[in-house]
Amino acid sequence: MTEFSFTCTGVRADRYAAGPTLVFRLRVTASGDTPVHALALRCQIRIEPARRGYGPAEADGLTDLFGERSRWGSTLHPVQFAQVPLMVPSFTGQTEADLVVPCTYDLDIAATRYLDALTDGEVPLLMLFSGTAFTGAGGFRVEPVPWDREAAYRMPVTAWREMVEQHFPGCGWIRLPRDTMDALLAYRSRHALPSWEATVKALLDPDLDRAGPPAHDPLRALTATTGRTDP
């Protein structure tokens, strides 16, 4: 049986991807000199929050996930980050490959909330590998890649933030049910608000709502120009 080992040597944000994407660089090593024709991998990536420290601001941001700091001894459990497939082409001995991981900025996802709360430092990751190897000097031999193959990696928080800024510069993202979106749209139309940002600000500031429609109300501007009154 061929023994496989894996090492993560780096990570970068894919600036040309259609959506937020991280690319991890993997080094794959196969024991012996038997050619590996292909390697079909399943890769699970987990965040291990207990393997780093947190400042006061970070701890406040993690309260929803892990509770108060006094409880962290029993609540800092691993957080699922991603599950992705990887096909490694033929090699002998050692090779390197890119592990492409699509990400999300949906703050309903536990991993995203965790990463968004971090201000600096590194993210402790554990990569678990399994799959099937096709080996053999003459013909093919099918071998399993057992689940105990793993690689630890400390991803810089800056890599995550760079990726987010490429796709959501200076912004956040909230997913809402359809009926809530319909109610927000009706509120925005009723008050002639120019953007979703203005809509949320009006909801957060009751004084704006009591003041009535803003001065840039398009209907008010139209009647002022034509001299016609509201119907």
Side-chain angles (χ1 to χ4, degrees), residues 33-176:
D33 57 0
T34 301
V36 178
H37 301 291
L39 196 57
L41 293 174
R42 294 182 296 274
C43 310
Q44 178 185 156
I45 305 177
R46 297 190 314 201
I47 299 171
E48 297 198 316
R51 290 173 47 206
R52 62 156 285 169
Y54 303 93
E58 294 173 327
D60 291 341
L62 295 172
T63 301
D64 288 346
L65 284 178
F66 305 121
E68 298 298 329
R69 192 189 285 268
S70 60
R71 299 177 52 208
W72 283 9
S74 59
T75 61
L76 286 184
H77 300 303
V79 177
Q80 180 77 4
F81 180 57
Q83 281 191 333
V84 290
L86 175 64
M87 181 63 72
V88 180
S90 62
F91 69 97
T92 300
Q94 189 177 95
T95 189
E96 292 193 354
D98 285 338
L99 179 64
V100 179
V101 179
C103 302
T104 177
Y105 198 35
D106 184 351
L107 293 178
D108 284 342
I109 306 299
T112 304
R113 292 168 65 189
Y114 173 86
L115 292 164
D116 186 66
L118 303 184
T119 57
D120 57 14
E122 298 172 327
V123 183
L125 300 178
L126 182 64
M127 300 179 173
L128 305 172
F129 300 93
S130 67
T132 305
F134 302 91
T135 65
F140 286 89
R141 184 171 67 246
V142 178
E143 302 182 27
V145 178
W147 263 115
D148 63 355
R149 304 295 90 181
E150 61 184 41
Y153 180 66
R154 302 188 73 86
M155 179 180 71
V157 173
T158 52
W160 168 265
R161 297 207 169 276
E162 178 187 351
M163 178 200 70
V164 171
E165 284 299 312
Q166 287 174 3
H167 295 274
F168 306 102
C171 299
W173 190 91
I174 300 177
R175 179 166 55 91
L176 297 172

